[in-house]
Amino acid sequence: MRCPACRREHLYEPPSLPCPCGASLKVPLLRGGVPVQVRFRSWEDSWLSMRCPHCGRSDQWPQPEFTCNCGATVRLPVDRATRLGTGTAAPLAAPGPQAARPLPAHPANAPAPAPPAPSPTGRSRPFRHRAPFRPHPVRTSQDAVFTAARYLEWLGFDDLELTESQERDGVTLLGGRMVAQVDTWTEPADVKSVECLWLQTLHAEEMAAAMFTLAGYSHQATVRGEQLLVALFSLDLAGVPQPANGAAEALMETGWTS
């Protein structure tokens, strides 16, 4: 897929979504369709109606999207003929060979993580193999907080407590080795938000910082997050955290941001 804003090419695979019947579903993409940039987001336009081919249940599912490195949110075209098939539910369309794996790495299909690097104090962190992360669709701001907390727990930060964020509209997740902010504003996170989050790590000898947003980040915020080693993640409506900088990719692979 080519980003309509910067023309950068991406490989994309739709995330697996859990149906109440237990089946894993994927929204069928339209082969040869043209992706579009999401400039103004509304909840109504962010969902589509899809029927499970296994149990026949109809439900609302998130539109397939990804966040480009340039900061643009890109929505993928959906194969509506397959999605709205009549009679016996048609099988969901599989992505073509060009969509064999996503870029950046998709948590649900990521390979086993490499052993973590030593911590800044020279101590090696315990390495543990992880099962694939199971996303939860994000329909409300509470879903975003729930997804971020589950994702950090999946990464090994399992002592987090919720507190109200002092910056913007969001929630802070605080633990012994992690402070994270879940930003639910409809505008991209700015430099101030990233810097204020980083300042919360200064009171501890070894503390990582991460931010999760629904609207992405400004270019300046992405650059500053990389300089301060703040892991920046964008949440899509499927509930899949996508890394927006190198610190986030390092956190996924090693359990730390450096």
Side-chain angles (χ1 to χ4, degrees), residues 205-225:
E205 177 183 358
E206 192 172 349
M207 177 78 73
M211 180 177 287
F212 297 80
T213 72
L214 294 170
Y217 304 88
S218 68
H219 176 70
Q220 293 82 359
T222 303
V223 172
R224 193 62 172 147

Side-chain angles (χ1 to χ4, degrees), residues 10 32 43 78 82 103-104 118 123 132 152 157 169 178:
H10 295 262
W43 287 106
V78 174
T82 300
L103 182 67
R123 299 189 301 272
L152 290 174
F157 303 96
D169 184 13
M178 167 63 69

Side-chain angles (χ1 to χ4, degrees), residues 221-252:
T222 303
V223 172
R224 193 62 172 147
E226 193 70 14
Q227 293 171 340
L228 299 177
L229 297 181
V230 175
L232 304 180
F233 292 92
S234 294
L235 281 175
D236 60 22
L237 296 179
V240 181
Q242 299 285 357
N245 66 350
E249 293 177 354
L251 187 65
M252 290 173 53

Side-chain angles (χ1 to χ4, degrees), residues 25-205:
L25 309 181
K26 289 186 178 181
V27 176
L29 300 183
L30 180 63
R31 292 175 183 254
V34 179
V36 297
Q37 181 178 356
V38 179
R39 300 182 182 275
F40 302 98
R41 179 181 295 282
S42 68
W43 287 106
E44 292 78 10
D45 294 337
S46 299
W47 298 88
L48 54 86
S49 179
M50 187 174 73
R51 188 178 67 245
C52 174
H54 300 278
C55 69
R57 176 190 177 101
S58 294
D59 210 338
Q60 296 293 313
W61 300 93
Q63 292 272 8
E65 298 175 351
F66 69 89
T67 301
C68 180
N69 293 339
C70 71
T73 298
V74 182
R75 180 171 295 161
L76 286 303
V78 174
D79 186 348
R80 297 178 178 273
T82 300
R83 179 169 61 88
L84 300 176
T86 59
T88 304
L92 295 181
Q98 71 276 14
R101 56 177 181 153
L103 182 67
H106 193 296
N109 300 308
S119 70
T121 58
R123 299 189 301 272
S124 297
R125 295 185 182 82
F127 170 68
R128 69 178 187 180
H129 292 281
R130 298 190 296 261
F133 177 69
R134 296 184 62 84
H136 176 79
V138 176
R139 295 182 171 89
T140 66
S141 58
Q142 289 79 9
D143 289 338
V145 174
F146 175 74
T147 295
R150 287 184 63 244
Y151 187 72
L152 290 174
E153 182 178 2
W154 178 74
L155 289 176
F157 303 96
D158 50 9
D159 61 344
L160 300 174
E161 297 182 357
L162 297 180
T163 62
E164 290 297 325
S165 175
Q166 298 180 358
E167 297 295 328
R168 293 168 57 109
D169 184 13
V171 172
T172 296
L173 304 171
L174 181 62
R177 297 186 301 117
M178 167 63 69
V179 57
Q181 180 175 328
V182 185
D183 190 309
T184 56
W185 267 30
T186 57
E187 298 179 359
D190 55 17
V191 172
K192 179 183 177 183
S193 300
V194 174
E195 292 179 340
C196 288
L197 176 60
W198 172 75
L199 288 174
Q200 298 183 54
T201 68
L202 299 183
H203 71 280
E205 177 183 358

